[in-house]
Amino acid sequence: MKTQALLLLGLFIISFSCNKENKNSIAPVENKIDHKKTSIVGTWERTSFSNYSGDEVHSFQSSVENKHIKIFTNSKVIWCRNNAADSTEWFGFGNYKLTDTLLTETLEFGSKSMQVPKDSVSVYEFTFKLTDDTFSQIQFDSEGHPIFSENYVRVE
């Protein structure tokens, strides 16, 4: 009886030791989902922008005083811009559509400064370039000349 008890105790200790070693040798599983896989879905912060006038290009780095954020879901876009120089509000919300090179934002409403007509929509078309962590959008006039461009970095 003592032998059987010692044998069971020994098996229990060996089993416990093996189980403990296995727990330490298993790498933890991370539950990170990579939303970046070259998708526009996410949160973006503007890093710089340029205004075009004929052959002249005026480029500016974004700053805390002139912060601009865009958030894309699977079908919606919302953006806001802080302009510390005045109290003007800048924001817009609506749908967007992507083709290979064209980003079309159809704003359903926006700030007064955006002049989105009441009970109407405003459509903005941009060419765009997208990587995992950056995207740029450029708006052109009806003759194909660039008007302005914005460059963004992925925040989330």
Side-chain angles (χ1 to χ4, degrees):
M1 180 86 166
K2 284 185 180 182
T3 307
Q4 289 176 344
L6 287 174
L7 184 59
L8 283 173
L9 180 61
L11 287 173
F12 176 74
I13 291 171
I14 291 171
S15 173
F16 180 76
S17 296
C18 289
N19 198 15
K20 185 177 179 183
E21 288 174 18
N22 286 339
K23 283 182 183 176
N24 292 336
S25 66
I26 297 173
V29 176
E30 291 189 28
N31 291 327
K32 286 187 177 180
I33 299 171
D34 190 1
H35 293 288
K36 295 196 292 190
K37 298 288 183 187
T38 315
S39 169
I40 202 163
V41 172
T43 305
W44 301 86
E45 183 173 353
R46 187 178 68 186
T47 57
S48 63
F49 59 99
S50 299
N51 293 316
Y52 300 85
S53 178
D55 292 335
E56 293 184 30
V57 179
H58 302 279
S59 297
F60 307 91
Q61 292 297 312
S62 294
S63 64
V64 174
E65 292 81 24
N66 192 355
K67 195 169 189 168
H68 189 126
I69 301 291
K70 269 192 167 181
I71 301 172
F72 291 92
T73 68
N74 288 328
S75 62
K76 300 290 185 184
V77 61
I78 187 167
W79 62 266
C80 61
R81 187 179 92 191
N82 178 39
N83 189 352
D86 61 36
S87 61
T88 307
E89 295 178 0
W90 290 90
F91 67 87
F93 172 80
N95 298 307
Y96 75 93
K97 179 180 161 187
L98 289 176
T99 65
D100 289 340
T101 58
L102 192 65
L103 165 62
T104 305
E105 294 181 6
T106 305
L107 298 183
E108 298 170 14
F109 70 90
S111 58
K112 184 176 181 179
S113 53
M114 281 299 299
Q115 300 176 349
V116 176
K118 188 175 180 177
D119 301 325
S120 184
V121 295
S122 292
V123 178
Y124 299 91
E125 289 187 337
F126 309 95
T127 61
F128 77 97
K129 294 178 184 173
L130 175 67
T131 70
D132 287 348
D133 294 316
T134 64
F135 105 86
S136 298
Q137 63 183 41
I138 305 169
Q139 188 173 29
F140 290 87
D141 66 16
S142 60
E143 296 176 3
H145 302 108
I147 300 170
F148 75 91
S149 64
E150 296 178 327
N151 302 301
Y152 293 84
V153 65
R154 185 182 298 277
V155 176
E156 181 177 60

